[in-house]
Amino acid sequence: MGVVIPIEGRSDPEASLADLVALVSGGMERVNATILSRTGSDVAMIPEVANHLIASGGKRLRPILTLATADLCGYAAGEGAVKLAASVEFMHTATLLHDDVVDESDMRRGRVAARIKWGNEASVLVGDFLLGQAFRMMVEVGSLRALDILSAAATVIAEGEVMQLTAAKNTETSEDEYLAVIRSKTAELFAAACEVGPVLAERPRAEQAACRSYGMNLGIAFQLIDDVLDYGGTSASLGKNVGDDFREGKITLPIVLSFRRGSDEERAFWRRTLEKGELEEGDLDRALAILRRHRALEDTVERARHYGAMARDALALFPNGRMKSALLQVVDFCIARAH
Amino acid sequence: MGVVIPIEGRSDPEASLADLVALVSGGMERVNATILSRTGSDVAMIPEVANHLIASGGKRLRPILTLATADLCGYAAGEGAVKLAASVEFMHTATLLHDDVVDESDMRRGRVAARIKWGNEASVLVGDFLLGQAFRMMVEVGSLRALDILSAAATVIAEGEVMQLTAAKNTETSEDEYLAVIRSKTAELFAAACEVGPVLAERPRAEQAACRSYGMNLGIAFQLIDDVLDYGGTSASLGKNVGDDFREGKITLPIVLSFRRGSDEERAFWRRTLEKGELEEGDLDRALAILRRHRALEDTVERARHYGAMARDALALFPNGRMKSALLQVVDFCIARAH
């Protein structure tokens, strides 16, 4: 059920990430050790819940980006970047825990969601604990500017999630409105993760802004591809069933495009399934057929490519080198996932 | 159904708070304006939910304490104390919003809980937004030490709440275990609210520790009296029905004392009602009768008095004056609420 789209560069998506992973592997070992030690608590349930999610291992793209941009800007390897990278991952994990409660999800990263195993209350509270720990680590680093960036991001992320609540189930959401949501709820943390690198390295504002812009646009591309994957990926490789967004009534860009391009009958279909949540046998197949008819998945990938190009251009002012080249490849990685 | 206990000092509890409220009224006007402006967001649901709770107006004891301890330590009136006080109130409000989700409460401060009106998701996310805003304000103040204290408090509070989850419904919880919970979930924020005052004023560690100790012990006393009120207060004055804790199966100090002092039959009663949640007509009356038999409410007030005395003594090293005297009266206020 994959959407096959010609992609520039390498054809194996994992390969595009390999260079970057190798370049920051030393730092990431320390980040992982920090994550492990900072989820420790005398209250046994906290490391249990936190590690259920953390150990299920996403790619840790966000902390990798913090280490990479710090290195790109010549930050002398110290504890600062490691702690900020761990903080970024904690903020992300806290968001996932709180999201599960909000979405009433049963699965997360291919495992049963923490809220199913330990209850909503544990997800809310362990999320709060991780947020608190994230801020403690930032304080230890001692950069008020980095604290400013990451605390602002925490606010913006929550704002984006609330925005999504409001937009949720509204099939008339416009592309711009949808972009505003994903900028806040996803891309802002990518942007902040990348911006604190040059901040730690005490580089000029222009470089801070460049890294921020790289992260922001990469984050938008990343989320758009995620939206596509939800309708086109395979369950085995994603730990997520095709059509989860559909079943939850989530309005994502493929839907926004299809709704606008669709017939009255198709719009009635989207309203029934997404707004009213009245699902019948065969509805997912019909949804996929409508998305195909309007090339909605392909065009969402095209949009992602546009933001990917902006992310690449944002790095133009940095001299060429292995780290810059690895960061450019990450853009390919994000988009190639749509395969 | 009130528990009447002789109390030292004034008999009108509100009067004990009046001096302090008057002394910080100028600062509190600015705190209230800050709270209002910082709940603002283009996402309309955020100020709606936040103000539903904030406007229902608790006494704002925590921000009052921040202003008061800053003033006690000679902090020249500036924006710093106002912003930290508002941060403390946001942290408190965020905790209440998340607590409602955890407790599945229907009421809060005499109004229908936000989660009933807007859903669990809004409570979780607006709580996160307020936490983010709290940290942004702290960052603006720029004191890394204050940030350290308040971010550590955020972590400890979440830890305390998780501890309570684990202890919840366990009638064999010991008094020490219960104290550890309320130290974390309630008293820690009182302690932090009081500690940042001398920190802002750049006073020596001994004064920071004294204010922290005042706040910590006042917070413990405050929570113990809350526990008593839940079994003895009147619905009208509290906006809370008598027996809420009982119906929710919460193990509080009056229960801990009664369980230990009780007969086998009484213990079976507590296990059925609190652990199993099997409630029958007349159970609340029976619970109240058992609490009375073992003087559990009176002795909980006695315990509160003990922590109140520690709070008073903590302030001994400060010279006498109107602010110190007002802070001492707050201890009376907290305990006199048990009337």
Side-chain angles (χ1 to χ4, degrees), chain B residues 17-35 59-61 63-69 71 77-78 81-82 85 322-323 326:
Chain B
L17 196 57
D19 282 358
L20 189 64
V21 168
L23 285 172
V24 300
S25 64
M28 277 307 289
E29 267 178 40
R30 288 157 66 201
V31 170
N32 291 334
T34 304
I35 285 174
K59 286 170 290 295
R60 307 224 163 139
L61 192 49
I64 287 175
L65 289 171
T66 298
L67 294 182
T69 51
D71 183 280
V82 168
R322 284 186 64 195
M323 189 56 84

mmCIF file of all heavy atoms in Angstrom, chain B residues 17-35 59-61 63-69 71 77-78 81-82 85 322-323 326:
data_model
loop_
_atom_site.group_PDB
_atom_site.id
_atom_site.type_symbol
_atom_site.label_atom_id
_atom_site.label_comp_id
_atom_site.label_asym_id
_atom_site.label_seq_id
_atom_site.Cartn_x
_atom_site.Cartn_y
_atom_site.Cartn_z
ATOM 1 N N LEU B 17 -5.596 36.248 57.793
ATOM 2 C CA LEU B 17 -4.961 36.431 56.497
ATOM 3 C C LEU B 17 -4.991 37.893 56.064
ATOM 4 O O LEU B 17 -4.231 38.319 55.190
ATOM 5 C CB LEU B 17 -5.703 35.557 55.466
ATOM 6 C CG LEU B 17 -5.025 35.275 54.134
ATOM 7 C CD1 LEU B 17 -3.672 34.610 54.338
ATOM 8 C CD2 LEU B 17 -5.915 34.405 53.258
ATOM 9 N N ALA B 18 -5.861 38.668 56.738
ATOM 10 C CA ALA B 18 -6.140 40.031 56.267
ATOM 11 C C ALA B 18 -4.895 40.911 56.248
ATOM 12 O O ALA B 18 -4.664 41.662 55.290
ATOM 13 C CB ALA B 18 -7.232 40.666 57.124
ATOM 14 N N ASP B 19 -4.069 40.826 57.289
ATOM 15 C CA ASP B 19 -2.886 41.693 57.356
ATOM 16 C C ASP B 19 -1.956 41.439 56.177
ATOM 17 O O ASP B 19 -1.463 42.361 55.528
ATOM 18 C CB ASP B 19 -2.102 41.457 58.659
ATOM 19 C CG ASP B 19 -2.778 42.143 59.838
ATOM 20 O OD1 ASP B 19 -3.805 42.819 59.623
ATOM 21 O OD2 ASP B 19 -2.270 41.986 60.972
ATOM 22 N N LEU B 20 -1.714 40.158 55.916
ATOM 23 C CA LEU B 20 -0.800 39.810 54.831
ATOM 24 C C LEU B 20 -1.361 40.263 53.486
ATOM 25 O O LEU B 20 -0.640 40.854 52.657
ATOM 26 C CB LEU B 20 -0.563 38.291 54.812
ATOM 27 C CG LEU B 20 0.546 37.853 53.855
ATOM 28 C CD1 LEU B 20 1.886 38.404 54.286
ATOM 29 C CD2 LEU B 20 0.612 36.332 53.769
ATOM 30 N N VAL B 21 -2.643 40.013 53.295
ATOM 31 C CA VAL B 21 -3.281 40.414 52.033
ATOM 32 C C VAL B 21 -3.137 41.919 51.837
ATOM 33 O O VAL B 21 -2.817 42.396 50.734
ATOM 34 C CB VAL B 21 -4.765 39.974 52.019
ATOM 35 C CG1 VAL B 21 -5.522 40.627 50.872
ATOM 36 C CG2 VAL B 21 -4.862 38.455 51.913
ATOM 37 N N ALA B 22 -3.333 42.675 52.915
ATOM 38 C CA ALA B 22 -3.226 44.142 52.814
ATOM 39 C C ALA B 22 -1.794 44.551 52.483
ATOM 40 O O ALA B 22 -1.560 45.428 51.636
ATOM 41 C CB ALA B 22 -3.680 44.787 54.121
ATOM 42 N N LEU B 23 -0.833 43.890 53.111
ATOM 43 C CA LEU B 23 0.568 44.289 52.913
ATOM 44 C C LEU B 23 1.064 44.043 51.490
ATOM 45 O O LEU B 23 1.943 44.747 51.006
ATOM 46 C CB LEU B 23 1.475 43.536 53.905
ATOM 47 C CG LEU B 23 1.420 44.032 55.352
ATOM 48 C CD1 LEU B 23 2.206 43.086 56.263
ATOM 49 C CD2 LEU B 23 1.973 45.441 55.468
ATOM 50 N N VAL B 24 0.527 43.032 50.829
ATOM 51 C CA VAL B 24 1.019 42.735 49.475
ATOM 52 C C VAL B 24 0.013 43.137 48.394
ATOM 53 O O VAL B 24 0.179 42.747 47.228
ATOM 54 C CB VAL B 24 1.375 41.233 49.310
ATOM 55 C CG1 VAL B 24 2.462 40.812 50.292
ATOM 56 C CG2 VAL B 24 0.138 40.353 49.465
ATOM 57 N N SER B 25 -0.996 43.926 48.768
ATOM 58 C CA SER B 25 -2.077 44.164 47.800
ATOM 59 C C SER B 25 -1.590 44.855 46.530
ATOM 60 O O SER B 25 -2.057 44.544 45.435
ATOM 61 C CB SER B 25 -3.219 44.949 48.447
ATOM 62 O OG SER B 25 -2.735 46.220 48.816
ATOM 63 N N GLY B 26 -0.640 45.774 46.663
ATOM 64 C CA GLY B 26 -0.118 46.446 45.465
ATOM 65 C C GLY B 26 0.531 45.454 44.522
ATOM 66 O O GLY B 26 0.242 45.427 43.325
ATOM 67 N N GLY B 27 1.393 44.614 45.079
ATOM 68 C CA GLY B 27 2.064 43.601 44.266
ATOM 69 C C GLY B 27 1.083 42.612 43.672
ATOM 70 O O GLY B 27 1.218 42.208 42.507
ATOM 71 N N MET B 28 0.069 42.237 44.449
ATOM 72 C CA MET B 28 -0.877 41.234 43.953
ATOM 73 C C MET B 28 -1.715 41.770 42.799
ATOM 74 O O MET B 28 -2.109 40.998 41.918
ATOM 75 C CB MET B 28 -1.778 40.716 45.087
ATOM 76 C CG MET B 28 -1.142 39.615 45.922
ATOM 77 S SD MET B 28 -0.494 38.207 44.957
ATOM 78 C CE MET B 28 -2.024 37.425 44.402
ATOM 79 N N GLU B 29 -1.954 43.085 42.802
ATOM 80 C CA GLU B 29 -2.663 43.651 41.635
ATOM 81 C C GLU B 29 -1.848 43.416 40.372
ATOM 82 O O GLU B 29 -2.379 43.073 39.315
ATOM 83 C CB GLU B 29 -2.891 45.150 41.820
ATOM 84 C CG GLU B 29 -4.232 45.463 42.441
ATOM 85 C CD GLU B 29 -4.419 46.957 42.662
ATOM 86 O OE1 GLU B 29 -4.018 47.756 41.790
ATOM 87 O OE2 GLU B 29 -4.946 47.314 43.731
ATOM 88 N N ARG B 30 -0.527 43.610 40.501
ATOM 89 C CA ARG B 30 0.326 43.399 39.327
ATOM 90 C C ARG B 30 0.430 41.903 38.986
ATOM 91 O O ARG B 30 0.494 41.530 37.813
ATOM 92 C CB ARG B 30 1.710 44.000 39.574
ATOM 93 C CG ARG B 30 1.660 45.542 39.552
ATOM 94 C CD ARG B 30 2.809 46.163 40.312
ATOM 95 N NE ARG B 30 4.084 45.906 39.687
ATOM 96 C CZ ARG B 30 5.270 45.965 40.309
ATOM 97 N NH1 ARG B 30 5.307 46.264 41.604
ATOM 98 N NH2 ARG B 30 6.385 45.733 39.670
ATOM 99 N N VAL B 31 0.439 41.062 40.021
ATOM 100 C CA VAL B 31 0.445 39.617 39.749
ATOM 101 C C VAL B 31 -0.819 39.223 38.987
ATOM 102 O O VAL B 31 -0.762 38.494 37.984
ATOM 103 C CB VAL B 31 0.541 38.807 41.066
ATOM 104 C CG1 VAL B 31 0.298 37.314 40.818
ATOM 105 C CG2 VAL B 31 1.893 39.026 41.729
ATOM 106 N N ASN B 32 -1.962 39.755 39.439
ATOM 107 C CA ASN B 32 -3.217 39.396 38.778
ATOM 108 C C ASN B 32 -3.247 39.883 37.335
ATOM 109 O O ASN B 32 -3.736 39.180 36.444
ATOM 110 C CB ASN B 32 -4.402 39.937 39.577
ATOM 111 C CG ASN B 32 -4.564 39.215 40.907
ATOM 112 O OD1 ASN B 32 -4.152 38.056 41.045
ATOM 113 N ND2 ASN B 32 -5.130 39.885 41.896
ATOM 114 N N ALA B 33 -2.704 41.082 37.111
ATOM 115 C CA ALA B 33 -2.650 41.600 35.740
ATOM 116 C C ALA B 33 -1.734 40.723 34.886
ATOM 117 O O ALA B 33 -2.027 40.426 33.720
ATOM 118 C CB ALA B 33 -2.154 43.046 35.749
ATOM 119 N N THR B 34 -0.621 40.287 35.482
ATOM 120 C CA THR B 34 0.317 39.424 34.762
ATOM 121 C C THR B 34 -0.337 38.084 34.416
ATOM 122 O O THR B 34 -0.216 37.587 33.297
ATOM 123 C CB THR B 34 1.576 39.172 35.629
ATOM 124 O OG1 THR B 34 2.135 40.434 35.983
ATOM 125 C CG2 THR B 34 2.614 38.355 34.882
ATOM 126 N N ILE B 35 -1.042 37.527 35.401
ATOM 127 C CA ILE B 35 -1.728 36.255 35.170
ATOM 128 C C ILE B 35 -2.699 36.391 34.005
ATOM 129 O O ILE B 35 -2.740 35.556 33.096
ATOM 130 C CB ILE B 35 -2.470 35.807 36.456
ATOM 131 C CG1 ILE B 35 -1.457 35.284 37.475
ATOM 132 C CG2 ILE B 35 -3.536 34.761 36.152
ATOM 133 C CD1 ILE B 35 -2.036 34.948 38.840
ATOM 134 N N LYS B 59 -7.488 31.639 47.018
ATOM 135 C CA LYS B 59 -6.976 32.784 47.787
ATOM 136 C C LYS B 59 -5.646 33.281 47.233
ATOM 137 O O LYS B 59 -5.119 34.276 47.688
ATOM 138 C CB LYS B 59 -6.789 32.379 49.248
ATOM 139 C CG LYS B 59 -8.088 32.243 50.015
ATOM 140 C CD LYS B 59 -7.863 31.606 51.386
ATOM 141 C CE LYS B 59 -7.494 30.148 51.327
ATOM 142 N NZ LYS B 59 -8.543 29.241 50.793
ATOM 143 N N ARG B 60 -5.071 32.551 46.292
ATOM 144 C CA ARG B 60 -3.753 32.887 45.747
ATOM 145 C C ARG B 60 -2.702 32.974 46.853
ATOM 146 O O ARG B 60 -1.868 33.887 46.883
ATOM 147 C CB ARG B 60 -3.801 34.201 44.958
ATOM 148 C CG ARG B 60 -4.880 34.154 43.908
ATOM 149 C CD ARG B 60 -4.435 34.699 42.590
ATOM 150 N NE ARG B 60 -5.381 34.256 41.561
ATOM 151 C CZ ARG B 60 -5.833 34.981 40.569
ATOM 152 N NH1 ARG B 60 -5.374 36.215 40.420
ATOM 153 N NH2 ARG B 60 -6.683 34.514 39.691
ATOM 154 N N LEU B 61 -2.779 32.024 47.752
ATOM 155 C CA LEU B 61 -1.875 32.011 48.896
ATOM 156 C C LEU B 61 -0.421 31.884 48.451
ATOM 157 O O LEU B 61 0.471 32.539 49.004
ATOM 158 C CB LEU B 61 -2.265 30.832 49.800
ATOM 159 C CG LEU B 61 -1.658 30.776 51.185
ATOM 160 C CD1 LEU B 61 -1.802 32.114 51.902
ATOM 161 C CD2 LEU B 61 -2.346 29.672 52.005
ATOM 162 N N PRO B 63 1.291 32.735 45.498
ATOM 163 C CA PRO B 63 1.952 33.967 45.033
ATOM 164 C C PRO B 63 2.050 35.037 46.123
ATOM 165 O O PRO B 63 3.027 35.795 46.160
ATOM 166 C CB PRO B 63 1.075 34.431 43.860
ATOM 167 C CG PRO B 63 -0.207 33.682 43.973
ATOM 168 C CD PRO B 63 0.118 32.393 44.669
ATOM 169 N N ILE B 64 1.059 35.071 47.000
ATOM 170 C CA ILE B 64 1.133 36.016 48.122
ATOM 171 C C ILE B 64 2.393 35.737 48.940
ATOM 172 O O ILE B 64 3.119 36.656 49.340
ATOM 173 C CB ILE B 64 -0.139 35.917 49.014
ATOM 174 C CG1 ILE B 64 -1.339 36.550 48.299
ATOM 175 C CG2 ILE B 64 0.082 36.562 50.382
ATOM 176 C CD1 ILE B 64 -2.672 36.394 49.050
ATOM 177 N N LEU B 65 2.685 34.456 49.152
ATOM 178 C CA LEU B 65 3.860 34.090 49.952
ATOM 179 C C LEU B 65 5.157 34.514 49.251
ATOM 180 O O LEU B 65 6.121 34.919 49.907
ATOM 181 C CB LEU B 65 3.863 32.585 50.231
ATOM 182 C CG LEU B 65 2.787 32.104 51.218
ATOM 183 C CD1 LEU B 65 2.737 30.570 51.262
ATOM 184 C CD2 LEU B 65 3.032 32.670 52.625
ATOM 185 N N THR B 66 5.186 34.398 47.927
ATOM 186 C CA THR B 66 6.385 34.817 47.205
ATOM 187 C C THR B 66 6.622 36.325 47.387
ATOM 188 O O THR B 66 7.733 36.764 47.700
ATOM 189 C CB THR B 66 6.252 34.480 45.699
ATOM 190 O OG1 THR B 66 6.126 33.068 45.563
ATOM 191 C CG2 THR B 66 7.466 34.957 44.923
ATOM 192 N N LEU B 67 5.563 37.095 47.206
ATOM 193 C CA LEU B 67 5.711 38.552 47.384
ATOM 194 C C LEU B 67 6.107 38.875 48.826
ATOM 195 O O LEU B 67 6.968 39.728 49.075
ATOM 196 C CB LEU B 67 4.399 39.271 47.048
ATOM 197 C CG LEU B 67 3.927 39.218 45.590
ATOM 198 C CD1 LEU B 67 2.629 40.034 45.444
ATOM 199 C CD2 LEU B 67 4.997 39.764 44.646
ATOM 200 N N ALA B 68 5.476 38.176 49.761
ATOM 201 C CA ALA B 68 5.693 38.489 51.170
ATOM 202 C C ALA B 68 7.115 38.152 51.610
ATOM 203 O O ALA B 68 7.763 38.944 52.305
ATOM 204 C CB ALA B 68 4.681 37.736 52.034
ATOM 205 N N THR B 69 7.626 36.991 51.194
ATOM 206 C CA THR B 69 8.987 36.633 51.623
ATOM 207 C C THR B 69 10.019 37.507 50.921
ATOM 208 O O THR B 69 11.044 37.831 51.497
ATOM 209 C CB THR B 69 9.294 35.140 51.359
ATOM 210 O OG1 THR B 69 8.982 34.825 49.991
ATOM 211 C CG2 THR B 69 8.490 34.242 52.279
ATOM 212 N N ASP B 71 9.542 40.603 50.157
ATOM 213 C CA ASP B 71 9.452 41.860 50.906
ATOM 214 C C ASP B 71 10.115 41.729 52.274
ATOM 215 O O ASP B 71 10.877 42.603 52.699
ATOM 216 C CB ASP B 71 7.972 42.239 51.045
ATOM 217 C CG ASP B 71 7.784 43.573 51.738
ATOM 218 O OD1 ASP B 71 7.859 43.593 52.991
ATOM 219 O OD2 ASP B 71 7.596 44.582 51.042
ATOM 220 N N ALA B 77 10.987 46.470 45.417
ATOM 221 C CA ALA B 77 9.859 46.133 44.547
ATOM 222 C C ALA B 77 10.222 46.261 43.076
ATOM 223 O O ALA B 77 10.505 47.343 42.585
ATOM 224 C CB ALA B 77 8.668 47.034 44.877
ATOM 225 N N GLY B 78 10.237 45.156 42.378
ATOM 226 C CA GLY B 78 10.518 45.167 40.951
ATOM 227 C C GLY B 78 9.643 44.140 40.278
ATOM 228 O O GLY B 78 8.801 43.534 40.926
ATOM 229 N N ALA B 81 9.742 39.742 41.501
ATOM 230 C CA ALA B 81 8.880 39.015 42.440
ATOM 231 C C ALA B 81 7.496 38.809 41.843
ATOM 232 O O ALA B 81 6.868 37.763 42.040
ATOM 233 C CB ALA B 81 8.792 39.769 43.765
ATOM 234 N N VAL B 82 7.025 39.809 41.112
ATOM 235 C CA VAL B 82 5.690 39.705 40.505
ATOM 236 C C VAL B 82 5.663 38.553 39.503
ATOM 237 O O VAL B 82 4.744 37.729 39.504
ATOM 238 C CB VAL B 82 5.308 41.037 39.815
ATOM 239 C CG1 VAL B 82 4.072 40.866 38.937
ATOM 240 C CG2 VAL B 82 5.076 42.128 40.866
ATOM 241 N N ALA B 85 5.930 35.229 41.284
ATOM 242 C CA ALA B 85 4.667 34.932 41.972
ATOM 243 C C ALA B 85 3.636 34.416 40.967
ATOM 244 O O ALA B 85 2.936 33.426 41.218
ATOM 245 C CB ALA B 85 4.152 36.177 42.693
ATOM 246 N N ARG B 322 6.086 44.190 60.659
ATOM 247 C CA ARG B 322 4.711 43.925 60.220
ATOM 248 C C ARG B 322 4.626 42.706 59.306
ATOM 249 O O ARG B 322 3.703 41.914 59.402
ATOM 250 C CB ARG B 322 4.146 45.147 59.482
ATOM 251 C CG ARG B 322 3.763 46.273 60.424
ATOM 252 C CD ARG B 322 3.071 47.384 59.660
ATOM 253 N NE ARG B 322 1.811 46.937 59.089
ATOM 254 C CZ ARG B 322 1.140 47.604 58.134
ATOM 255 N NH1 ARG B 322 1.647 48.727 57.647
ATOM 256 N NH2 ARG B 322 -0.009 47.141 57.668
ATOM 257 N N MET B 323 5.617 42.591 58.390
ATOM 258 C CA MET B 323 5.538 41.471 57.446
ATOM 259 C C MET B 323 5.748 40.149 58.158
ATOM 260 O O MET B 323 5.038 39.177 57.915
ATOM 261 C CB MET B 323 6.570 41.667 56.328
ATOM 262 C CG MET B 323 6.438 40.686 55.179
ATOM 263 S SD MET B 323 4.785 40.668 54.389
ATOM 264 C CE MET B 323 4.960 42.052 53.230
ATOM 265 N N ALA B 326 2.679 39.294 60.005
ATOM 266 C CA ALA B 326 1.605 38.846 59.100
ATOM 267 C C ALA B 326 1.847 37.402 58.649
ATOM 268 O O ALA B 326 0.911 36.605 58.545
ATOM 269 C CB ALA B 326 1.517 39.777 57.899
#
